[in-house]
Structures are given as structure tokens and as C-alpha cells.
Amino acid sequence: MTSTFRPTSDFLSTLIERGFLHQCSDMAGVDALAKAGKLVSYIGFDCTAPSLHVGSLVQIMMMRWMQATGAGKPIALMGGGTTRVGDPSGKDESRKMLTIEQIDANKDGIGRIFSKFLTFGTGPTDALMTDNAEWLTKLNYIDFLRDVGRHFSVNRMMAMDSVKMRLERDQELSFIEFNYMCLQAYDYVELNRSYGCNLQMGGSDQWGNIVTGMDLGRRMGTPQLYALTSPLLTTSSGAKMGKTAAGAVWLEADMLPVYDYWQYWRNSEDADVGRFLRLFTDLPMSEIAKLEALAGSEINEAKKILANEATALVHGRAGAEQAAETARKTFEEGVLADTLPTITLPAAELDAGVGVLAAFVRVGLVASTGEARRQIKSGGLRVNDATLSDERATLTAANLQEGVVKLSLGKKKHVLLKPE
RNA sequence: GGGGGAAUGUCCCGAGCGGCAAAGGGGGAGGACUGUAAAUCCUCUGGCUAAGCCUUCGUAGGUUCGAGUCCUACUUCCCCCA
């Protein structure tokens, strides 16, 4: 669908050449608005977690490009209202309902992320943040049915891919989930009325919901609304972006150390480097083309740049440089880097002696002493770079080197244990 | 309303004649090989104060020396008939 259309706006051409575009309801329409700087676009974010992780980065970068290319105003919509209903797509049992306090706390955490990527303010391309709790919690059920609900065609909803699939597979589709679509559609109309919002963006799984919102707008008399989605990202080997065994790749230093964030990108697969540079950095296309062309082990240089740039966006240039330096010392020089993630423990405890099993559990490299034992058996644990073979060994002050004990799992994961 | 199925290792899928910490995958972790990559090969993948002990097969009881397995009730889901 993108092959025949030639965008004239910086915004759309950037999105296309960088791989952000999956589907768009009307390329020419969006292109014209972008060129005139008259787009007002929103993306919704659930408030189910205390922060965002790499999985949301594509959406955030789309807003960033919107701002950078002068296409218009991006709106970050916090799903403070919809989250109270609970996201029903998690098919399993008791999805815990979050309390209002939790949702508010999550909202604050998520909101903080955006200030790193976007400039907020009142100017025409300044970003705006709002929360759908502001209007959704005030809705009256009967009024909503009369004014909004009558515009929804169950027939059409049944035909939507997301619904059809569930029905065909005999999977549960709750009433709430049906309503979720309606609320999201209503958000779009509401944002149009309040802010003149005319474009909703999101991941490709949101296409149905977004189009439902466009349709609702048409029936309720808004100007023409548009939809644009980004592809759902997986790594080349098919894994979901943003998840590792240790958990999600959070965009918050408290939840994932800057060094670990840097490492996440550094460990990208060869085949992903170009794609990731385009999506997750601001580097110009010409430079990315050069980096992507590096062959063999030289592509490691491109991975470092990817890690530097991606980390700088979230954690600042200084944080990225420090992470790079830590990695350089650790991997290239084989020297102890005191900037590795560090866990402290009371000096008295170390003087008394800490079992190695407990120590590895304590720093979080393994989940249990059982796992620690297994890792020792397969030679996976090291203390100060020496492979650990005796599970009954203890750590004492004698193990300190430069004031810390370096504990490692495998070749890549290192934590420093520091008495205080 | 009637009849018939199903729920398994707290990541997922999935076998399981009354002796079961429970087959096999996927995913994940470690090791080997490399370039902090991929592919490939090997090992591991309930917890603990560890030759032992404890907790796991939808929930609650029961039969039994012994229950994931048999019985009863309940919950949830699916299919067929109405």
C-alpha cells in the first residue's frame, strides 16, 4: 500500500523510510495535514505498570518524529480511566483490578518518561498530556448509550479481525472487552472536540480500535479523522521486543540499571541492527546506511552506536557514555569497572562470612539457591572472574578487590557486591 | 433444562494402567564454538537449613498403606440436544 504513494511531508516520508508505518487510513490526507503542520495526533497508554518498557518505544518515537518534523501536536493520552476497567485482553484468570491509587502512581511514572522524548507546552507543535479518566469517569451509562452507544454496530464489531479470531477459536470474549473498544473510540471523539485531534496512532494490534474511533467520529459529526499504525516488533528470531528472562526492559533507571539498558541494545542480533537504528535512534539515514553495511564482526561497532544512541535518548548522553565505558572495561579490557550495577550489604555480614549460594541469590543473578547450585554445576557462576566450583564456599572480606566482590553469571551478567 | 468432554509443573503447549517431583515440546538459563551476533552441539529448567525434608496436577471432601490418576460435591470453560 505504501508503494504507490509518494509522501511530500517530512513526517510521513520519515515514518516510511524508518520503518514506522504499517497501515494508514488515508496517506494523502495525513500527508497534507502534516505538511501544513496541522496534525493533532494521539496515542493511548495503559496505566497497568509503574513505567513503560521498550515495547512502547516505537509509539513514543513516532510522537517524537512528529514534533521534530513540525507535523503538529502530539498528545500522550494516559489511560487512567480505561485502566480502571482493566485490560481484558489478558485471557487468564484473575487479572487483578488495580486500585485507583496504584493507577495514579503508575500514571505519574509513565508520564515522566515522555518529558525525555517530547517538548511539552502550548505552542503548535508542543506536546500535551491528558488522561481519559477526566471524561470517562464522568460518563453516565444511560446517556452514553443514547448518545454514543447507538452508533456502534455490533454486526461490524463482530466482523473485526480481533473479535472474529476469538470467536473462531472459541476463546472467551467478555462484555467488558466489547465496551473497551467503545470507550477507546469515544476517547478519539472527545480528543477531537477538546483539542482538534485528527490522527490516532498505535501498534498494528490497535487498528481495529482506531478505525472504530474514526467511524464513531464520522457518525457523531467530527471532521475527518485518520488512523496510522506501526508494525508490531519482534526480533529477527521472533522473540517479542522488550522482554528478557530477567523481565521487561524498563525505561526507568530505578527499574532497570542504565548499564543493563545499554547492554540490551548492545546484544541485538546482527540482522536487527539496521532496523533498530532506524526506529530507536535519531541518527540520519545516511549514517545508518553506513553502519548497516558493516560486515562480519565489524557490525559490533554499529551495535555500540545503537546502544549509545538509544540509551542517550532515555537516560541522557552522560549515562550512555558511562555505560559504554563500563562495558569497554568489562569486556574489552577485562578490568574491574566499579560502575557495574552494585548491591550493598552490611560490612558486618561480610565479616561473618556469606555463603556463595546466598550471595548470588541476594544480588539477583539467580532466583534460588537451587538454581545457584545448578549453575555452579554447569560452570556458570564466577567470583572475581574465577569459576566457582564449591557451592559451600563463603565470601568474606578476604574476597574484596578494590572494595568490592564481583559476582558473574555467564559471560555477560555482572554485579558488584559492596560492603557498607 | 438434558447429555458429553476439559482444567497438569504459577512462562506457554501438552502426555500421564493407583507407587509421580510427574513423559515430550516450545520458551528460558549455563557450557562449547564465535564477534558480548546468528546457527549448531551438550547440560539444566519446583523449594529448602539438602544422601533428608517440604510444596505442586481447578476447589473442597472421601476411598486407599499410597491419589494427578478412583468416588462425591462445587467452580470455570467447551461440545451436542432442547
Side-chain angles (χ1 to χ4, degrees), chain A residues 197-216:
Chain A
C197 181
N198 49 23
L199 172 67
Q200 182 179 175
M201 306 192 288
S204 59
D205 58 327
Q206 293 297 309
W207 179 255
N209 289 340
I210 296 174
V211 170
T212 303
M214 281 174 57
D215 197 54
L216 179 65

Side-chain angles (χ1 to χ4, degrees), chain A residues 277-294:
Chain A
L277 281 166
R278 283 189 287 276
L279 290 167
F280 302 117
T281 75
D282 291 335
L283 290 177
M285 289 297 287
S286 55
E287 191 168 345
I288 292 174
K290 279 184 219 153
L291 291 170
E292 198 175 11
L294 291 174

Side-chain angles (χ1 to χ4, degrees), chain A residues 261-332:
Chain A
Y261 189 78
W262 192 93
Q263 280 294 322
Y264 174 75
W265 295 107
R266 174 65 246 267
N267 284 309
S268 295
E269 298 170 26
D270 287 7
D272 288 328
V273 172
R275 196 161 54 106
F276 287 178
L277 281 166
R278 283 189 287 276
L279 290 167
F280 302 117
T281 75
D282 291 335
L283 290 177
M285 289 297 287
S286 55
E287 191 168 345
I288 292 174
K290 279 184 219 153
L291 291 170
E292 198 175 11
L294 291 174
S297 62
E298 290 189 344
I299 199 150
N300 280 323
E301 293 310 310
K303 290 186 189 179
K304 287 178 201 168
I305 292 172
L306 168 64
N308 285 342
E309 296 302 312
T311 304
L313 278 174
V314 183
H315 298 296
R317 184 60 62 181
E321 279 169 9
Q322 192 187 57
E325 177 60 13
T326 303
R328 198 183 61 75
K329 279 186 183 165
T330 305
F331 289 97
E332 292 176 23

Side-chain angles (χ1 to χ4, degrees), chain A residues 94-371:
Chain A
S94 58
R95 58 156 204 289
K96 58 202 166 188
M97 283 281 182
L98 297 170
T99 66
I100 300 206
E101 292 74 44
Q102 279 176 308
I103 292 172
D104 284 344
N106 290 347
K107 198 175 82 182
D108 292 344
I110 291 167
R112 272 197 299 276
I113 304 286
F114 288 94
S115 58
K116 298 172 180 171
F117 290 86
L118 303 172
T119 306
F120 286 85
T122 51
T125 62
D126 284 342
L128 181 87
M129 182 174 298
T130 185
D131 179 355
N132 62 16
E134 281 175 32
W135 53 88
L136 292 183
T137 54
K138 290 176 191 150
L139 288 178
N140 169 296
Y141 194 54
I142 299 294
D143 290 343
F144 184 75
L145 287 179
R146 283 176 58 100
D147 299 339
V148 182
R150 68 196 173 97
H151 296 299
F152 288 102
S153 154
V154 171
N155 307 51
R156 281 205 47 201
M157 288 163 83
M158 300 283 285
M160 286 172 59
D161 276 351
S162 58
V163 175
K164 216 164 36 176
M165 248 169 49
R166 299 282 280 277
L167 294 178
E168 276 167 10
R169 285 201 202 145
D170 287 328
Q171 280 177 336
E172 168 73 359
L173 178 66
S174 74
F175 183 62
I176 285 182
E177 187 150 14
F178 239 62
N179 276 263
Y180 205 81
M181 285 192 266
C182 302
L183 292 179
Q184 187 171 336
Y186 180 70
D187 280 345
Y188 200 174
V189 173
E190 178 66 33
L191 285 169
N192 174 269
R193 289 178 173 167
S194 307
Y195 304 106
C197 181
N198 49 23
L199 172 67
Q200 182 179 175
M201 306 192 288
S204 59
D205 58 327
Q206 293 297 309
W207 179 255
N209 289 340
I210 296 174
V211 170
T212 303
M214 281 174 57
D215 197 54
L216 179 65
R218 188 172 55 75
R219 290 166 196 262
M220 292 181 74
T222 67
Q224 178 66 52
L225 302 178
Y226 299 93
L228 187 158
T229 57
S230 59
L232 275 196
L233 290 192
T234 57
T235 66
S236 289
S237 30
K240 266 184 218 148
M241 280 290 295
K243 297 280 185 186
T244 68
V249 180
W250 298 105
L251 305 179
E252 183 73 56
D254 291 346
M255 299 174 72
L256 183 78
V258 177
Y259 170 77
D260 289 334
Y261 189 78
W262 192 93
Q263 280 294 322
Y264 174 75
W265 295 107
R266 174 65 246 267
N267 284 309
S268 295
E269 298 170 26
D270 287 7
D272 288 328
V273 172
R275 196 161 54 106
F276 287 178
L277 281 166
R278 283 189 287 276
L279 290 167
F280 302 117
T281 75
D282 291 335
L283 290 177
M285 289 297 287
S286 55
E287 191 168 345
I288 292 174
K290 279 184 219 153
L291 291 170
E292 198 175 11
L294 291 174
S297 62
E298 290 189 344
I299 199 150
N300 280 323
E301 293 310 310
K303 290 186 189 179
K304 287 178 201 168
I305 292 172
L306 168 64
N308 285 342
E309 296 302 312
T311 304
L313 278 174
V314 183
H315 298 296
R317 184 60 62 181
E321 279 169 9
Q322 192 187 57
E325 177 60 13
T326 303
R328 198 183 61 75
K329 279 186 183 165
T330 305
F331 289 97
E332 292 176 23
E333 281 183 41
V335 173
L336 183 84
D338 58 5
T339 42
L340 282 169
T342 302
I343 304 283
T344 59
L345 92 167
E349 240 180 284
L350 187 64
D351 290 338
V354 182
V356 284
L357 299 175
F360 274 93
V361 174
R362 181 106 166 221
V363 301
L365 285 175
V366 295
S368 65
T369 62
E371 190 187 336

